[in-house]
Amino acid sequence: MSDLNTAMIEKYRNSFLKEVEANVEEGDWVKMCMQCGVCSGSCPLGPHWEHPPQEIFMMIRAGKRDEVLQSDAMWMCTSCYNCIVRCPRELPITHIMHGLAHYAKRLGLAPKNQPTAKFAQLFWDNLVKSGRVNELKLGLSLYFMNGFGEGIKTSLKMKNIGLGMVKTKRMNPMEILGGHGVKDKSGLQKILNKAREIEEAKAQGA
Ligand code: SF4
Ligand code: SF4
């Protein structure tokens, strides 16, 4: 268990709802849910959810911290916004689901092999180096995220699409050497470090 997770459990020992309100994007909306189930019924993922949004909100209020934060439910949300436009209480459901995923990740509780969580990490690692996404490297890291053999198989399967993209100048193979980035890379790293510092201080209640 991470130190941050331990600190959070200590701080919010008696109320997971309070913890969500203080730390999750739009988390203070959770208490407004009236459990009508419209969001869950509108979600195109339907039966594929481990816990649809209405259930997640009920579990938060019931203090089921581990079940919520270790669930892969929030990582399934495709941001289609069906739930938001239909919620009679106008809860920003999509943002709460992504906020919960982000919070679980910060605490080290996100499921390790969930594909969307893996993609989110690959995307961030790719972006953070130069301030711009290197699409070629991101594509390759996705192909190889489940191992070398799987990566080779996927690369061969996708080779015609890749070649077509190169021919039509939608992809530049030279990007493998580095590609575009922001001019002030050290400035970018300073901004990110400062943001981490602020988040840590907020988490520790400083
Ligand atoms: S539609 Fe809104 S009020 Fe109804 S269960 Fe979903 S979040 Fe709660
Ligand atoms: S935004 Fe997410 S939770 Fe809402 S309906 Fe779409 S997939 Fe489901």
Side-chain angles (χ1 to χ4, degrees):
M1 190 179 289
S2 72
D3 291 347
L4 181 57
N5 194 12
T6 312
M8 287 307 194
I9 292 176
E10 210 43 57
K11 191 169 169 188
Y12 297 103
R13 183 169 286 285
N14 298 320
S15 173
F16 182 39
L17 177 62
K18 274 191 197 153
E19 181 178 349
V20 168
E21 286 174 342
N23 298 286
V24 172
E25 183 187 353
E26 307 283 10
D28 52 349
W29 277 90
V30 172
K31 60 179 171 296
M32 298 300 290
C33 172
M34 62 181 187
Q35 291 293 302
C36 66
V38 167
C39 55
S40 303
S42 312
C43 181
L45 291 168
H48 305 294
W49 283 104
E50 184 189 12
H51 303 297
Q54 165 243 337
E55 205 172 292
I56 286 279
F57 300 156
M58 181 262 291
M59 288 161 74
I60 291 172
R61 285 155 70 169
K64 294 185 180 293
R65 186 178 192 273
D66 289 348
E67 290 95 321
V68 171
L69 294 176
Q70 289 170 9
S71 165
D72 77 347
M74 301 83 78
W75 297 93
M76 300 282 283
C77 175
T78 59
S79 306
C80 72
Y81 287 82
N82 252 358
C83 52
I84 288 194
V85 295
R86 292 186 179 158
C87 174
R89 285 277 171 93
E90 300 184 352
L91 267 80
I93 303 162
T94 316
H95 306 293
I96 304 170
M97 296 305 273
H98 292 312
L100 283 166
H102 179 234
Y103 185 53
K105 175 82 182 150
R106 273 176 58 205
L107 296 175
L109 295 174
K112 296 280 176 286
N113 287 318
Q114 209 284 336
T116 321
K118 273 179 158 181
F119 172 74
Q121 187 65 56
L122 288 173
F123 185 91
W124 176 254
D125 293 345
N126 182 299
L127 172 70
V128 83
K129 282 186 193 129
S130 67
R132 291 214 187 148
V133 171
N134 183 315
E135 289 176 357
L136 179 57
K137 285 187 180 173
L138 180 62
L140 286 173
S141 52
L142 271 177
Y143 291 176
F144 285 86
M145 80 177 179
N146 292 320
F148 187 73
E150 198 61 38
I152 296 290
K153 263 195 233 160
T154 313
S155 304
L156 289 173
K157 199 166 77 186
M158 300 298 284
K159 76 175 186 322
N160 289 340
I161 293 178
L163 288 171
M165 287 175 77
V166 171
K167 262 192 214 157
T168 53
K169 297 194 173 17
R170 303 296 299 171
M171 190 166 71
N172 178 2
M174 296 314 284
E175 287 216 345
I176 198 76
L177 301 175
H180 293 349
V182 293
K183 280 185 191 153
D184 184 6
K185 292 195 182 75
S186 72
L188 171 71
Q189 296 310 320
K190 278 184 199 152
I191 292 169
L192 292 170
N193 288 339
K194 189 69 194 171
R196 282 188 200 106
E197 226 176 79
I198 292 170
E199 278 208 340
E200 287 301 315
K202 195 177 148 206
Q204 304 298 336

